[in-house]
Amino acid sequence: MVSPTSLPSSTLVLVFVLFAAAGVDFSFSTSIPPTKIGNGYRLISIENTPDGGILGLLQVIQKNQIYGPDIPQLQLFVKHEAQDRLRVHITDAEKQRWEVPYDLLPREQPPKLKQTIGKSRKSSITASEYSGPELIFSYTKDPFGFAVKRKSNGQTLFDSSSDASDPFGNLVFKDQYLEISTKLPKDASLYGLGENSQPHGIKLYPNDPYTLYTTDVSAINLNTDLYGSHPVYMDLRNDGGRPYAHAVLLLNSNGMDVFYRGTSLTYKVIGGVFDFYFFAGPTPLSVVDQYTSFVGRPAPMPYWSLGFHQCRWGYHNLSVLEDVVENYKKARIPLDVIWNDDDHMDGKKDFTLNPTNYPRPKLLAFLDKIHSIGMKYIVINDPGIAVNSSYGVYQRAIANDVFIKYEGEPFLAQVWPGAVNFPDFLNPKTVSWWGDEIHRFHELVPIDGLWIDMNEVSNFCSGKCKIPEGKQCPSGTGPGWICCLDCKNITKTRWDDPPYKINASGLQVPIGFKTIATSATHYNGILEYDAHSLYGFSQAVATHKALQGLEGKRPFILSRSTYVGSGKYAAHWTGDNKGTWEDLRYSISTVLNFGIFGVPMVGSDICGFYPAPTEELCNRWIEVGAFYPFSRDHANYYSPRQELYQWESVAKSARNALGMRYKLLPYLYTLNYEAHISGAPIARPLFFSFPSYTECYGLSTQFLLGSGLMVSPVLEQGKSEVKALFPPGSWYSLFNMTQIIASKEGRYVTLDAPLNVVNVHLYQNTILPMQQGGLISKEARMTPFSLVVTFPAGTTEGEAKGNLFLDEDELPDMKLGNGYSTYIDFYGTITKGNAKVWSEVQESTFALGRGWHIEKISVLGLDGSGEASSLEIDGNAVTGDSNIKMNITEQKFLEELDDGEDKKKIVMIEIKGLTVSVGKNFAISWKMGNKI
């Protein structure tokens, strides 16, 4: 949903000028401090801890007053918490400081502060290295600096030491300013540090600004702190042809600037502690596995959520919603979920229905109709609760004392319904109240999920406000995001006006601008200054608990604001984007980043949120968006209609691209399972599968689904072809399996891509499970299966693998062993003229009960120098009078081979007419190579 900060930066500048004219003080320090802020610390004591860590005491070398006084003594705690995870925790040695709450993001507690360490005992450690299974921590004492190295090859992953030639200084630790840096090799490729729209692609770009502070600033603004805060980066290096990846997380929820200079990276943080976690990798997949093992495995998603979703802000009444569903059906375009923005609400108030435009009896009849065929319904929910004494939700909130406070009273803000207060989700009472409100609303309207928006938190006003006397607020005319409360700026505390100004909104705006005042307080006196970026995360945790408690079903939550660990509870979309070709390109990088952040269920508003996309752009966008993990068309109130059936050409592209998505649903759902058990992203950069192939390290215009399904879309206006990178090996077109692209070294290939065509290729050594598709996932899920088996083109010796996870998809847990799930491994081999495809089934009961079967197997890339013969199924020969047929089709290379070899005849074998049960082990074999 658009809001005042969902505007270009140039517009924001005008907004700031207007607010300044109204008396809002935007004064902030413009003086440039010295590059090197402090003189560092010295290590004066160090000892072993009973749990296998080390504990040290640091003392400041020379104090200064830049950004406030230095904290005199720091406690250092280092521990190898797991084989592949190292923690380095630095805090004030004498006073407890703010950290991300341990009950919100569960993890080990560091030792309690020991004020006597170093004062009455000598160091018990003489070595300067602390070694673990994968990583080594080393340190220097004066000035203190530390390094983290990879044990296997001695590679330095992080080095905080500073010398005179470095553009950064030593460790700085003040109450409201923390600074630390690391040296980096020139050839390190970095990814992460979100959320922002990165114009240069997925790789971090030297000297671009990276500010982390959750903010309602539209995704159309580049290099700006957006809705989420993810202070983690992945570092990929190629050492003598061998790839090594690792990740670094700074678990800190305070606002920060991160300066990446290419050969160094510097954190400048305005509070909290240094709590670093190093994940050893060494592959990109293992890095994400280790990261999500720590922050939380991604939430299991219901099967229907992988279908296509349609939303719009501006479905003014129920009849419009009914027409949209009917028009998708008429256009033969798949649709699983219909959404409401705030149009269904009464006066834009949470948990209400508009009695005129969405009368409950008619809405319930509509929902009965769509639910009966397997469709779902989701509505929006903003955190701001309208201040209205006749509004039951507000009455119960006041009675339960659930709101964030300012000077002892609920903090007053303005969002869509007018004056609002914000629930404090760090308060256990709020979590209970929120769950009760969701339960009440579900009894009113049987929703299938919740969309939590505006939770950065977004506020249309700034400062301390009161409801104006003698005028209506909002007025009901003009844009709803104009502040109509009577407000005055808040600058009286150091929390509202900190000494160091992060580059908030890309313009160094005050950190309380258009959000909750940072001197406001949460439960137990927690400052908004510290907890600001946790708001959307804490709301997702509470919402997940509430939805799971409704009917025991698997929750679906879409959240705009996210933090470290949000993927355990919610999906994400990339926010208010623009209907432009540039925004289409940026969407790929953002989606891939969130896979690294442990939020694999992610997508971008297809065709753009605003303004109107062109017909050509919408064609190309659905060809990309059909392969986002979360696939939804969403548009702004002020934009023309852009449902996929509005243009016949777009409808054609949608039928093609979404038609393929719905055939791939069993594969996508299996990827959803893999994400849940190992963190593996659904959509991945190519370097995840090809980490040795440096050519793909910066590639941001193509992506993989899983390990071997590559999407190469058109991202430029007026183009009917696309230049795509193909890593080494054999690739097969999924839309035309007779086409092969093969290369030993990898290369770019120009592919035909007319308006309604998207190029999708499947890599060698893969077994891809598919079904026949349909207009809704429920019906598509019951169609027969097919398997696509790929070998390196022309090989006489090869292996292929794939898998399939099936379960009762609305159960809360996604796991084996509960009696409601089945897992199948598929294998294929070709060796000495003998071809075989077989399965190994775990927990067969569920699949057998559903009656699923495989009706076709397509095997690609076979040497066609001879015919196929002697087909057997489970050891029984298939006779000529059987319904099972084996067809052979020659495959063609799209371009000449680059290795100078003579072309072989390559064939695809299709075995049709099968009735092989998915729930039973099977083996199908035949012979290749008898001369024709």
Side-chain angles (χ1 to χ4, degrees), residues 714-729:
V714 173
L715 302 172
E716 295 179 79
Q717 185 175 3
K719 299 289 187 181
S720 58
E721 58 184 29
V722 60
K723 187 178 180 183
L725 179 64
F726 285 83

Side-chain angles (χ1 to χ4, degrees), residues 836-911:
K836 184 179 178 181
V837 177
W838 73 99
S839 72
E840 293 179 2
V841 180
Q842 299 178 52
E843 309 282 343
S844 63
T845 304
F846 175 74
L848 288 173
R850 291 297 183 99
W852 283 304
H853 71 275
I854 298 167
E855 70 164 15
K856 183 174 74 170
I857 296 178
S858 303
V859 185
L860 283 54
L862 294 172
D863 180 356
S865 57
E867 63 182 10
S869 62
S870 305
L871 179 65
E872 293 185 357
I873 299 179
D874 295 331
N876 299 313
V878 176
T879 59
D881 58 356
S882 167
N883 292 325
I884 298 170
K885 303 298 179 187
M886 181 182 283
N887 297 328
I888 302 179
T889 306
E890 187 171 355
Q891 296 178 280
K892 299 289 186 182
F893 290 98
L894 191 64
E895 289 195 346
E896 293 296 318
L897 292 174
D898 60 2
D899 53 18
E901 292 183 7
D902 294 332
K903 283 188 180 179
K904 297 178 180 178
K905 181 181 179 183
I906 312 296
V907 298
M908 169 177 69
I909 288 186
E910 288 187 315
I911 305 170

